[in-house]
Amino acid sequence: MRASLAAALLALVLAPRPAAAQEAYGARGLFPVYVVGGHWMIYDKTDSAAARAALRPGGTFLLIGSSGEGVFTVARTSAAYGGACRRGKPARLRAALLRGPIRQVGVPILAIRAPKSFRLEGSRAVYRALPNAVDEGVYKTLEVALARETIADVKSGAFRFKPGDAGRDAFVADPNPDKILLKIDYASHPKIAGLAAPTVLVDGEQISDSFRRCLYLADGSKLVGRCVEMPHDLMAETALLRFVSYDPSGAGTPLLLAYTPKPPLWGDERWGFVLRAAGPSLFLRDALDPRCRASF
């Protein structure tokens, strides 16, 4: 069964999809996992009957965390708040409470649906913690390419200006790279098959009063693929996120997972990206909003 799950993960990694596409919540049996009140849980926010079925008691998951992986099962379900807001008030959702080897996983990030007979014996998965490695060399190598890509996105309309931004027309008429405020908040060097010198980075780009945050993949001084936007849904700045790579086959086709090790001002976040030689893509973006910011 290990081989079949590895094959499914590889299909996720290798499937051709637009760089900015995000899978629906629970698609392909992938769910974010949070620690709430001492419980490890998955909030049932899915509209899919098949995905919802995975969250019933007895359901089995491969759980990927900050320091390892483990097989978990749904011990029971319970009503819970904090997973979503409706009309400015906390929504009462069903939550699947997980049971398994908590200590070996670390901070839980991602649960992958698995058959009940699944075992981890023979796993070739490779974990790598990816601490922030931003330095002057990263700026020197990629600053020009990032500015060039930002200008290209302005011209194509992919860079979205705030409504009423008075500086928009002037920049579009004269896209001067010196007028782009660029800050690289995170960079690391995962191993990716087909790339000689891979770097994954998260930057902030501001033009006039408009801002976006992007995840990019580069090979040396060349960007690979396009910007994958990371909107600030809540309040977690990039510095509050931690990153790990999880390569299910050990062959250089990793998933990049980002998580908040402790709740920031509003709520925890979970991100998932596929990293491949053709570029990055987004498959998971989720956040908790326990205080319902709209009514705060």
Side-chain angles (χ1 to χ4, degrees):
M1 285 299 183
R2 173 72 214 179
S4 63
L5 186 60
L9 283 168
L10 285 174
L12 166 69
V13 171
L14 297 175
R17 288 167 295 152
Q22 181 190 359
E23 298 287 353
Y25 186 92
R28 306 193 187 198
L30 304 172
F31 296 89
V33 183
Y34 298 97
V35 180
V36 181
H39 298 289
W40 288 35
M41 65 170 57
I42 300 170
Y43 284 96
D44 186 356
K45 297 190 283 185
T46 179
D47 295 325
S48 164
R52 184 169 289 120
L55 304 179
R56 294 172 183 163
T60 302
F61 290 90
L62 172 64
L63 204 154
I64 313 303
S66 60
S67 58
E69 61 183 351
V71 179
F72 282 66
T73 58
V74 178
R76 61 186 176 90
T77 60
S78 176
Y81 291 89
C85 290
R86 292 174 183 154
R87 300 183 181 90
K89 296 182 180 180
R92 187 174 184 267
L93 301 174
R94 186 183 69 150
L97 278 63
L98 302 175
R99 177 177 57 210
I102 290 174
R103 292 186 179 180
Q104 74 185 44
V105 170
V107 178
I109 306 171
L110 176 68
I112 305 169
R113 185 179 185 181
K116 290 186 178 181
S117 57
F118 176 73
R119 298 293 182 272
L120 274 175
E121 287 78 7
S123 172
R124 296 190 297 273
V126 176
Y127 269 91
R128 291 188 66 205
L130 296 174
N132 197 348
V134 171
D135 57 19
E136 191 62 30
V138 172
Y139 272 93
K140 288 181 179 179
T141 301
L142 290 167
E143 194 169 20
V144 171
L146 290 170
R148 187 183 300 122
E149 184 69 14
T150 303
I151 290 173
D153 282 353
V154 167
K155 292 179 178 179
S156 70
F159 185 103
R160 294 182 292 274
F161 284 86
K162 289 173 57 177
D165 189 334
R168 175 189 179 282
D169 292 343
F171 187 87
V172 171
D174 179 21
N176 186 342
D178 292 335
K179 294 182 179 179
I180 301 173
L181 299 179
L182 180 69
K183 183 175 183 293
I184 302 175
D185 294 312
Y186 171 82
S188 63
H189 306 289
K191 295 181 179 180
I192 302 173
L195 300 183
T199 299
V200 63
L201 61 126
V202 179
D203 79 342
E205 304 161 0
Q206 182 164 343
I207 302 171
S208 186
D209 291 330
S210 301
F211 174 86
R212 73 174 181 178
R213 179 171 62 166
C214 288
L215 179 135
Y216 287 104
L217 181 61
D219 190 14
S221 61
K222 179 183 177 181
L223 295 180
V224 179
R226 308 298 299 275
C227 158
V228 178
E229 288 200 50
M230 294 182 67
H232 288 79
D233 287 72
L234 298 176
M235 296 295 288
E237 300 297 331
T238 305
L240 298 179
L241 296 172
R242 299 293 180 268
F243 294 80
V244 299
S245 69
Y246 173 72
D247 186 345
S249 68
T253 51
L255 308 181
L256 176 72
L257 304 176
Y259 65 99
T260 44
K262 58 183 180 179
L265 179 59
W266 295 108
D268 277 304
E269 296 186 8
R270 298 290 185 265
W271 298 81
F273 306 88
V274 174
L275 301 182
R276 56 185 178 183
S281 60
L282 174 70
F283 72 87
L284 175 68
R285 185 183 78 205
D286 193 69
L288 301 185
D289 195 353
R291 296 194 295 179
C292 283
R293 179 172 54 160
S295 63
F296 181 67

